[in-house]
Amino acid sequence: MPSVFHYLTSPHLSRKKPKKKRRNPTKTLTLNLSPKPPTPNLEPPIDGREESEEPEEEEAGFKLKPSASSRSLAVQPLGNLFLLDPSANARNSGLGALRVLSDELLLDILGLLCGRDLAILSAVSRSSYVFAGHEPLWRNLVLEDLKGDFLFDGSWKSTYVSGIAPRSAPSRAAAIAIRNLYSDYLFQSWLCANLEMKPEWLERDNIERRRGISVEEFVESFEEPNRPVLLEGCLESWPAMEKWTREHLVKVCGDVKFAVGPVEMTLGRYFRYADSAREERPLYLFDPNFSKKVPELGSDYEVPVYFREDLFSVLGEDRPDYRWVIIGPAGSGSSFHVDPNSTSAWNAVVKGSKKWVMFPPEIVPPGVHPSPDGAEVACPVSIMEWFMNFYGACKNWKRRPVECICRAGEVVFVPNGWWHLVINLEDSVAITQNYVSRRNLLNVLDFLGRPNASELVSGTKDRVNLYEKFRNAINAAFPGTIDQLRQKAHEKMTQKKKLTFWESVSDANAGGFRFSF
């Protein structure tokens, strides 16, 4: 029977297209397989980063998922080479002149090749077989060449073969056994894809929880002071809570395609992928137009009473994207980010559960490096990588992150400007919306009016004129509101700066009085 190599290297698969460099997210992980993750080099302790005097708890070693197979592991971490002769690493002998390149640079170069060229390269040596078979390379090829019209076949390479030559593609060939090849860069991707969440990453739950509070209490206690909260019992009237099983969603949505990363897929194809994918960064279904595509989905839920004042609605169809259906397998999620356009948000779990980690606006999470203007953020390539290397760095801060596990039927309120990371702990379905209330209106206007708004504003084609459109629409719908809010904000700032008589004569540091003449 012809091998996969013969199908990939046949002339009819050679594509004539300009070579384009594929984006490779910034890597910040230095692999360390010791039981305790390394502490990153953090800035001096400021803005709540002061370490507490609590003793640091010992952390257990990493645990792999039951589905993890050692047979799929072709490389070992460099630490395993420590007591051996460096020449024992088959990587260098198998790469020839390319051995001088770092693993990351080598993979960047291989990312310029088409599938046929990668297949030819994989036959050169055992080292080239490993590098040319790196799954993210084939994932990029599938998403670029097949878009969302693929049936996942256990691995991205097999998916590419079956998608390019569906009639003649052979059964999956057995992997070649590789020994004595050491690479942290390659090993970490496999490890992050097959690592279980450690118990200590899940046990902390310090978010405030509320059930049945009034809108006034929500505004006074959480929205006005810009504090997160988990709300219980808000979704009991949602038809989606009962209806949105996988079978129902596939039936209702049919052949409708939803946004999944850079492509669009039907739910049937996406669920097939989600059931068998084992990778560092699983594809995430995140669609802002789900209600237009399938109106029944939009009618199966309603905005909780706490979030119904949404001033962006004055823009009608010109408002930026603001609501999404979110579907993903365990391990999928969103790495650290701040919600767009300085809006606040709510996230409601319909099925499954999610782990949340949140930092206030003034504290940048460890391992995250935003540009000065906020237009770009460099962070670990995967969520699991952040937990492995940076979660422990903030465990002894006096101002620890706000954390929780949000389960089906619960809602997390995300105040504007808060950094947050979310990872699905199981197959999950959720609804999220970003909104603007009177408590946040000035923040949003200031954000939209920044000089570099064209780089910062998202979710709309008209980034430059959104500020003027929104301000004019607010003035037309709610005359005088902006001026009133600015006046109140000014009075509030003045009140904070104004000292009482006792504050003016007392020395806060000494605890006594001070006299000045």
Side-chain angles (χ1 to χ4, degrees), residues 210-386:
R210 293 290 186 272
R211 175 183 287 269
I213 63 174
S214 65
V215 175
E216 292 74 17
E217 183 179 351
F218 167 75
V219 171
E220 181 180 354
S221 300
F222 301 103
E223 191 177 36
E224 186 71 39
N226 213 43
R227 296 167 53 205
V229 64
L230 188 148
L231 301 167
E232 302 172 344
C234 297
L235 315 182
E236 295 171 353
S237 63
W238 282 20
M241 296 302 298
E242 296 293 333
K243 293 172 60 177
W244 283 15
T245 63
R246 176 179 290 196
E247 294 73 22
H248 174 78
L249 291 174
V250 170
K251 180 180 179 180
V252 169
C253 298
D255 294 330
V256 175
K257 293 184 177 182
F258 296 89
V260 179
V263 300
E264 291 197 336
M265 301 175 66
T266 64
L267 281 183
R269 289 178 182 265
Y270 179 73
F271 284 137
R272 170 169 170 159
Y273 157 80
D275 283 343
S276 56
R278 299 291 181 269
E279 56 182 335
E280 185 178 8
R281 295 175 296 123
L283 291 174
Y284 207 15
L285 190 153
F286 210 90
D287 195 294
N289 300 309
F290 71 98
S291 184
K292 295 179 181 179
K293 294 176 179 179
V294 185
E296 182 177 333
L297 297 183
S299 63
D300 282 343
Y301 82 98
E302 61 180 356
V303 177
V305 63
Y306 308 104
F307 315 110
R308 290 181 182 170
E309 182 186 54
D310 187 359
L311 299 180
F312 252 150
S313 62
V314 298
L315 290 175
E317 293 297 319
D318 290 333
R319 71 173 299 168
D321 294 338
Y322 70 103
R323 59 179 175 178
W324 295 263
V325 62
I326 311 173
I327 302 176
S332 61
S334 300
S335 56
F336 273 111
H337 65 283
V338 174
D339 278 337
N341 306 327
S342 197
T343 55
S344 297
W346 56 270
N347 186 297
V349 177
V350 179
K351 303 291 181 183
S353 58
K354 298 172 179 285
K355 166 71 179 183
W356 286 75
V357 181
M358 293 182 275
F359 288 85
E362 67 273 15
I363 300 180
V364 178
V368 177
H369 305 282
S371 61
D373 61 0
E376 297 180 356
V377 176
C379 60
V381 71
S382 70
I383 298 172
M384 191 62 71
E385 185 178 322
W386 185 85

Side-chain angles (χ1 to χ4, degrees), residues 4 8 76 108 113 168 178 207 259 299 307 316 320 330 354 370 390 440:
V4 173
L8 284 175
Q76 301 178 54
D108 281 344
L113 304 182
S168 55
I178 302 295
I207 196 171
S299 63
F307 315 110
K354 298 172 179 285
F390 298 103
N440 192 31

Side-chain angles (χ1 to χ4, degrees), residues 36 79 95 312:
K36 199 171 173 182
L95 290 179
F312 252 150

Side-chain angles (χ1 to χ4, degrees), residues 160-187:
Y160 182 80
V161 174
S162 59
I164 293 295
R167 295 183 180 179
S168 55
S171 59
R172 196 173 305 148
I176 298 175
I178 302 295
R179 293 183 180 180
N180 300 326
L181 198 149
Y182 302 85
S183 167
D184 281 350
Y185 193 94
L186 294 176
F187 181 81

